[in-house]
Amino acid sequence: MAKIACVIVTYNRKQLLGEALESALNQEAAPETIFVIDNASTDGTEGYINQRFDFDNQRLHYVRCAQNLGGSAGFATGMRLALQTDCDWISISDDDALFEPGYFKAMRAGIADHPQQQVFSGSVLLPDGTHDMMHRELITNPATLTVKPVSEATYAQDFMYDIFSFVGVLMSRQVVEDIGLPEQDYFIRFDDFEYAVRALKYGRFMNLSAAKVLHKTTYTRASIAPWKEYYVMRNRIALLLKHRGANRVTRWYCRRFLARKLLAILLFRNRWGQARPLIKAYVTGYRDGWHARLGRQLAFLPS
């Protein structure tokens, strides 16, 4: 049977992390190894989960990072550790992703039924039961890597798609060894998108309708935080230039992306009060993305 290592990255959400760990450990066909990567949480995560779970056995491992280098570095750390085991597959998720019963059983069935497939995922559900469709997307313009979400109706069966998020994705060891680790200098945002673009060399990804993940997120596309918007702008431009180069089409797209973000400040009343920091985030992110100035930026960190 294929061996699965599960990587869960967390930051300051100890109770959600506890739920996520329970959901993985209580599976009928649970992962052989689970790595918890803590991005230097300050809410007592380490003590909380060490009291609740047995980290002395070889199945469950807790790693606390010296500082918060973002989700991208957390995933890279966990996947690097997973590769040091004898796993055949690596499961990747955040601390707010809860594996529904039967998730890993469905994944193992998918591996057996589709031996040539190298990347699988499960359907991501919101607490209200609808699909969180931003996690499974189709490329509509290969030149600019423009995407659209898979439609709600598509989730009724297994389907193929082009771009995943790091919520409930399962990758073969072969793919990870070949394409390398996520871009840990992205800090947050678009690290999973960029990784999916690299993984596409092995073919499109398969979403299994029988595998479901409950995403207990409070994030919506209407949520705006200037420090996060900096990484949205910077990393979107950086990944496009990395994979498509600075040609006429990508130059046009990058300028249009910046213009649309700036225009949105005028169009949405809830952004007027943050106009100045948003403009700074977008303009600085545009410049840094264009010149591939990556990494954790002190001017754009959680307050």
Side-chain angles (χ1 to χ4, degrees), residues 29-42:
E32 279 72 20
T33 309
I34 301 175
F35 291 95
V36 175
I37 309 301
D38 183 352
N39 260 324
S41 293
T42 58

Side-chain angles (χ1 to χ4, degrees), residues 273-291:
Q274 300 184 92
R276 187 166 294 179
L278 280 171
I279 291 170
K280 178 183 177 183
Y282 292 139
V283 172
T284 307
Y286 180 90
R287 291 172 179 165
D288 288 352
W290 190 262
H291 296 288

Side-chain angles (χ1 to χ4, degrees), residues 199-220:
L200 269 177
K201 67 180 287 186
Y202 276 92
R204 303 176 78 208
F205 318 130
M206 178 176 286
N207 193 82
L208 301 174
S209 61
K212 293 179 172 58
V213 181
L214 176 61
H215 196 205
K216 297 186 73 172
T217 180
T218 57
Y219 171 80
T220 66

Side-chain angles (χ1 to χ4, degrees), residues 5-48:
C6 179
V7 174
I8 301 174
V9 176
T10 189
Y11 176 70
N12 277 359
R13 294 193 290 203
K14 60 186 181 183
Q15 292 180 332
L16 273 176
L17 172 62
E19 292 183 62
L21 276 173
E22 289 280 6
S23 75
L25 290 167
N26 292 335
Q27 292 282 315
E28 180 180 344
E32 279 72 20
T33 309
I34 301 175
F35 291 95
V36 175
I37 309 301
D38 183 352
N39 260 324
S41 293
T42 58
D43 66 344
T45 290
E46 183 173 9
Y48 177 82

Side-chain angles (χ1 to χ4, degrees), residues 26-98:
N26 292 335
Q27 292 282 315
E28 180 180 344
E32 279 72 20
T33 309
I34 301 175
F35 291 95
V36 175
I37 309 301
D38 183 352
N39 260 324
S41 293
T42 58
D43 66 344
T45 290
E46 183 173 9
Y48 177 82
I49 63 167
N50 271 298
Q51 285 184 340
R52 187 169 171 181
F53 300 96
D54 177 15
F55 283 88
D56 292 329
N57 64 57
Q58 294 184 336
R59 182 182 176 193
L60 199 55
H61 304 270
Y62 170 80
V63 177
R64 178 178 172 83
C65 301
Q67 60 178 320
N68 182 7
L69 296 177
S72 56
F75 288 118
T77 298
M79 293 165 74
R80 184 182 298 112
L81 291 170
L83 288 174
Q84 295 174 15
T85 72
D86 61 351
C87 72
D88 306 298
W89 294 81
I90 300 176
S91 169
I92 311 163
S93 62
D94 283 309
D95 52 10
D96 59 358
L98 279 58

Side-chain angles (χ1 to χ4, degrees), residues 147-169:
V147 297
K148 70 174 182 180
V150 172
S151 68
E152 177 78 30
T154 307
Y155 283 88
Q157 60 278 317
D158 298 347
F159 61 85
M160 306 298 291
Y161 66 102
D162 305 312
I163 298 295
F164 55 67
S165 77
F166 284 155
V167 178
V169 64

